[in-house]
Amino acid sequence: MSTLPELDNPFWSSLASVHRDLALRSGDAARYPSAYAPFLAVADVRAAAPSDLEALVAPGESVYLLGVAPKAPAHWTLEPFRPLAQMICEQPITQVEGPEAIELTSAHRADVLALTALVYPHYFRERTMNMGRYFGIYRDGRLAAMIGERLGTDSAREMSAICTHPDFAGLGYARRLTAMLTNDTLRQGRLPFLHVSHENPRANQLYERIGFRLRRDIPFWALRRG
Protein backbone atom coordinates (compact mmCIF):
# COMPACT_ATOMS: atom_id res chain seq x y z
CA MET A 1 0.00 0.00 0.00
CA SER A 2 1.54 3.33 -1.02
CA THR A 3 2.02 6.35 1.23
CA LEU A 4 -0.60 8.39 -0.54
CA PRO A 5 0.44 11.87 -1.79
CA GLU A 6 -3.02 13.27 -1.04
CA LEU A 7 -2.07 13.07 2.64
CA ASP A 8 0.26 16.02 2.05
CA ASN A 9 -2.89 18.20 1.89
CA PRO A 10 -5.28 16.17 4.05
CA PHE A 11 -7.98 18.78 4.69
CA TRP A 12 -8.34 19.52 0.99
CA SER A 13 -8.23 15.84 0.03
CA SER A 14 -10.90 14.98 2.57
CA LEU A 15 -13.19 17.86 1.59
CA ALA A 16 -12.85 16.84 -2.06
CA SER A 17 -13.69 13.17 -1.44
CA VAL A 18 -15.33 11.52 1.58
CA HIS A 19 -16.62 14.84 2.92
CA ARG A 20 -17.51 16.56 -0.35
CA ASP A 21 -21.13 16.81 0.81
CA LEU A 22 -20.03 18.78 3.87
CA ALA A 23 -17.62 21.10 2.07
CA LEU A 24 -18.24 24.83 1.95
CA ARG A 25 -16.32 25.96 -1.10
CA SER A 26 -15.33 29.17 -2.83
CA GLY A 27 -12.99 28.87 -5.80
CA ASP A 28 -9.87 26.98 -4.76
CA ALA A 29 -10.61 27.18 -1.04
CA ALA A 30 -12.86 24.94 1.04
CA ARG A 31 -13.71 24.42 4.68
CA TYR A 32 -15.82 22.40 7.05
CA PRO A 33 -18.85 24.01 8.65
CA SER A 34 -17.74 25.32 12.04
CA ALA A 35 -20.05 22.89 13.86
CA TYR A 36 -18.02 20.01 12.37
CA ALA A 37 -14.40 21.22 12.51
CA PRO A 38 -12.47 24.51 12.38
CA PHE A 39 -10.50 23.41 9.31
CA LEU A 40 -9.89 25.26 6.04
CA ALA A 41 -7.90 24.12 3.01
CA VAL A 42 -6.63 25.44 -0.30
CA ALA A 43 -5.83 23.41 -3.39
CA ASP A 44 -2.18 24.54 -3.40
CA VAL A 45 -0.02 27.40 -2.13
CA ARG A 46 -0.90 29.60 -5.11
CA ALA A 47 -4.62 28.91 -4.94
CA ALA A 48 -7.40 30.86 -3.25
CA ALA A 49 -7.88 34.53 -3.93
CA PRO A 50 -8.48 36.76 -0.91
CA SER A 51 -12.14 36.94 -1.95
CA ASP A 52 -12.38 33.12 -1.66
CA LEU A 53 -11.06 33.22 1.88
CA GLU A 54 -13.31 36.14 2.79
CA ALA A 55 -16.32 34.15 1.57
CA LEU A 56 -15.51 31.31 3.97
CA VAL A 57 -14.05 32.90 7.12
CA ALA A 58 -15.99 35.39 9.22
CA PRO A 59 -14.35 38.54 10.61
CA GLY A 60 -12.53 37.64 13.82
CA GLU A 61 -12.73 33.90 13.15
CA SER A 62 -9.71 31.57 13.31
CA VAL A 63 -9.37 28.40 11.23
CA TYR A 64 -6.62 25.81 10.96
CA LEU A 65 -4.70 24.57 7.92
CA LEU A 66 -2.59 21.44 7.58
CA GLY A 67 0.08 20.73 4.97
CA VAL A 68 -0.66 23.62 2.59
CA ALA A 69 -1.45 27.25 3.34
CA PRO A 70 -2.01 30.34 1.18
CA LYS A 71 -0.38 33.70 1.62
CA ALA A 72 -2.33 35.59 4.27
CA PRO A 73 -4.39 38.48 2.82
CA ALA A 74 -3.87 41.97 4.17
CA HIS A 75 -5.09 42.33 7.76
CA TRP A 76 -5.16 38.54 8.24
CA THR A 77 -2.70 36.62 10.45
CA LEU A 78 -1.15 33.28 9.48
CA GLU A 79 0.47 31.79 12.59
CA PRO A 80 2.73 28.75 12.17
CA PHE A 81 2.76 26.09 14.84
CA ARG A 82 5.26 23.30 15.36
CA PRO A 83 4.66 20.68 12.62
CA LEU A 84 2.64 17.62 13.57
CA ALA A 85 3.82 14.05 13.18
CA GLN A 86 1.73 12.40 10.47
CA MET A 87 1.90 8.66 11.06
CA ILE A 88 0.66 5.67 9.05
CA CYS A 89 0.17 1.97 9.75
CA GLU A 90 0.55 -0.54 6.92
CA GLN A 91 0.26 -3.81 8.86
CA PRO A 92 -2.36 -5.14 11.31
CA ILE A 93 -1.80 -4.39 14.98
CA THR A 94 -1.84 -7.14 17.60
CA GLN A 95 -5.05 -6.72 19.57
CA VAL A 96 -5.08 -6.99 23.35
CA GLU A 97 -7.84 -8.29 25.58
CA GLY A 98 -10.04 -5.79 27.34
CA PRO A 99 -13.54 -4.44 27.82
CA GLU A 100 -16.00 -4.41 24.95
CA ALA A 101 -15.85 -1.48 22.57
CA ILE A 102 -19.15 -0.18 21.22
CA GLU A 103 -20.00 2.11 18.33
CA LEU A 104 -20.96 5.53 19.61
CA THR A 105 -24.12 7.19 18.33
CA SER A 106 -26.00 10.41 18.90
CA ALA A 107 -27.25 8.84 22.15
CA HIS A 108 -23.67 9.06 23.44
CA ARG A 109 -22.99 12.59 22.17
CA ALA A 110 -23.12 14.28 25.57
CA ASP A 111 -20.60 11.81 26.99
CA VAL A 112 -18.32 12.26 23.96
CA LEU A 113 -18.42 16.05 24.19
CA ALA A 114 -17.70 15.93 27.92
CA LEU A 115 -14.67 13.66 27.45
CA THR A 116 -13.23 15.60 24.52
CA ALA A 117 -13.75 18.91 26.34
CA LEU A 118 -11.67 17.48 29.18
CA VAL A 119 -8.76 15.90 27.29
CA TYR A 120 -9.09 16.86 23.58
CA PRO A 121 -10.50 20.39 23.75
CA HIS A 122 -9.37 22.34 20.70
CA TYR A 123 -10.77 20.71 17.58
CA PHE A 124 -13.78 18.58 18.56
CA ARG A 125 -17.09 20.26 17.83
CA GLU A 126 -20.79 19.56 18.28
CA ARG A 127 -21.08 17.61 15.00
CA THR A 128 -17.58 16.17 14.64
CA MET A 129 -19.06 12.73 15.30
CA ASN A 130 -20.90 13.00 11.96
CA MET A 131 -17.58 12.91 10.07
CA GLY A 132 -17.12 9.17 10.55
CA ARG A 133 -17.56 6.25 12.90
CA TYR A 134 -16.73 6.61 16.59
CA PHE A 135 -16.16 3.89 19.17
CA GLY A 136 -15.81 3.88 22.93
CA ILE A 137 -15.28 1.82 26.03
CA TYR A 138 -17.62 2.38 28.98
CA ARG A 139 -16.69 1.47 32.54
CA ASP A 140 -19.10 1.84 35.45
CA GLY A 141 -21.47 3.82 33.26
CA ARG A 142 -18.79 6.34 32.22
CA LEU A 143 -17.12 6.84 28.85
CA ALA A 144 -13.57 5.77 29.71
CA ALA A 145 -11.93 6.01 26.27
CA MET A 146 -12.81 6.70 22.65
CA ILE A 147 -11.55 6.83 19.08
CA GLY A 148 -13.04 7.96 15.80
CA GLU A 149 -12.65 8.59 12.09
CA ARG A 150 -12.25 12.18 10.97
CA LEU A 151 -10.39 13.02 7.74
CA GLY A 152 -10.22 10.59 4.87
CA THR A 153 -10.16 9.80 1.18
CA ASP A 154 -11.23 6.78 -0.81
CA SER A 155 -7.82 5.24 -0.02
CA ALA A 156 -7.05 6.39 3.54
CA ARG A 157 -8.79 7.13 6.83
CA GLU A 158 -7.63 9.17 9.80
CA MET A 159 -7.76 7.82 13.34
CA SER A 160 -8.74 10.76 15.55
CA ALA A 161 -9.93 11.83 19.00
CA ILE A 162 -7.98 8.97 20.57
CA CYS A 163 -8.38 9.83 24.22
CA THR A 164 -8.80 8.32 27.68
CA HIS A 165 -10.41 9.81 30.76
CA PRO A 166 -7.68 10.45 33.36
CA ASP A 167 -9.48 8.15 35.82
CA PHE A 168 -8.87 5.23 33.42
CA ALA A 169 -5.37 6.03 32.16
CA GLY A 170 -2.81 3.26 31.93
CA LEU A 171 -5.30 0.43 31.40
CA GLY A 172 -4.57 -0.06 27.69
CA TYR A 173 -7.94 1.18 26.47
CA ALA A 174 -6.49 3.60 23.89
CA ARG A 175 -4.27 0.86 22.50
CA ARG A 176 -7.20 -1.56 22.31
CA LEU A 177 -9.37 0.95 20.43
CA THR A 178 -6.55 2.01 18.11
CA ALA A 179 -5.80 -1.59 17.16
CA MET A 180 -9.47 -2.33 16.55
CA LEU A 181 -10.11 0.63 14.25
CA THR A 182 -6.73 0.44 12.51
CA ASN A 183 -7.23 -3.22 11.65
CA ASP A 184 -10.76 -2.62 10.43
CA THR A 185 -9.52 0.22 8.20
CA LEU A 186 -6.84 -2.06 6.72
CA ARG A 187 -9.47 -4.75 6.03
CA GLN A 188 -11.38 -2.14 4.01
CA GLY A 189 -8.29 -1.58 1.85
CA ARG A 190 -7.61 1.89 3.28
CA LEU A 191 -4.42 3.22 4.83
CA PRO A 192 -4.84 4.22 8.50
CA PHE A 193 -3.18 7.50 9.43
CA LEU A 194 -3.18 9.90 12.34
CA HIS A 195 -1.71 13.21 13.47
CA VAL A 196 -0.03 13.73 16.82
CA SER A 197 1.85 16.61 18.39
CA HIS A 198 5.58 16.23 18.96
CA GLU A 199 4.86 17.86 22.29
CA ASN A 200 3.08 14.63 23.28
CA PRO A 201 6.01 12.17 23.24
CA ARG A 202 4.09 9.56 25.22
CA ALA A 203 1.48 9.30 22.45
CA ASN A 204 4.17 9.27 19.76
CA GLN A 205 5.93 6.40 21.49
CA LEU A 206 2.68 4.46 21.94
CA TYR A 207 1.83 4.69 18.25
CA GLU A 208 5.35 3.69 17.21
CA ARG A 209 5.33 0.78 19.62
CA ILE A 210 2.09 -0.68 18.28
CA GLY A 211 3.02 -0.37 14.61
CA PHE A 212 2.60 3.17 13.26
CA ARG A 213 5.54 4.91 11.61
CA LEU A 214 6.27 8.51 10.77
CA ARG A 215 5.24 9.39 7.23
CA ARG A 216 6.30 13.03 7.50
CA ASP A 217 6.28 16.10 9.69
CA ILE A 218 3.41 18.14 8.31
CA PRO A 219 3.14 21.95 8.66
CA PHE A 220 0.28 23.31 10.75
CA TRP A 221 -1.07 26.87 10.94
CA ALA A 222 -3.83 29.02 12.38
CA LEU A 223 -5.31 31.61 10.01
CA ARG A 224 -7.21 34.48 11.58
CA ARG A 225 -9.23 37.06 9.72
CA GLY A 226 -8.74 40.53 11.20
Side-chain angles (χ1 to χ4, degrees), residues 11 30 39 62 65 101 108 117 138 157 164 180-181 189 191 196 216:
F11 292 167
F39 301 153
S62 292
L65 300 103
H108 306 101
Y138 273 82
R157 206 66 160 110
T164 304
M180 180 197 73
L181 188 54
L191 180 70
V196 61
R216 64 165 298 190

Side-chain angles (χ1 to χ4, degrees), residues 110-193:
D111 291 343
V112 167
L113 292 173
L115 178 56
T116 54
L118 179 66
V119 299
Y120 191 84
H122 300 298
Y123 312 114
F124 206 94
R125 299 293 174 87
E126 178 70 25
R127 301 193 69 180
T128 302
M129 283 181 70
N130 297 76
M131 295 171 69
R133 299 175 299 165
Y134 281 79
F135 299 90
I137 291 174
Y138 273 82
R139 300 296 286 169
D140 303 322
R142 301 165 65 195
L143 182 60
M146 61 173 282
I147 191 172
E149 297 170 328
R150 189 175 58 179
L151 308 177
T153 68
D154 295 335
S155 302
R157 206 66 160 110
E158 183 196 32
M159 315 288 99
S160 182
I162 305 170
C163 55
T164 304
H165 192 286
D167 290 349
F168 300 95
L171 299 177
Y173 294 167
R175 173 172 179 163
R176 177 169 170 76
L177 289 168
T178 303
M180 180 197 73
L181 188 54
T182 296
N183 293 348
D184 185 65
T185 301
L186 287 166
R187 283 192 293 269
Q188 295 176 16
R190 290 178 170 174
L191 180 70
F193 70 102

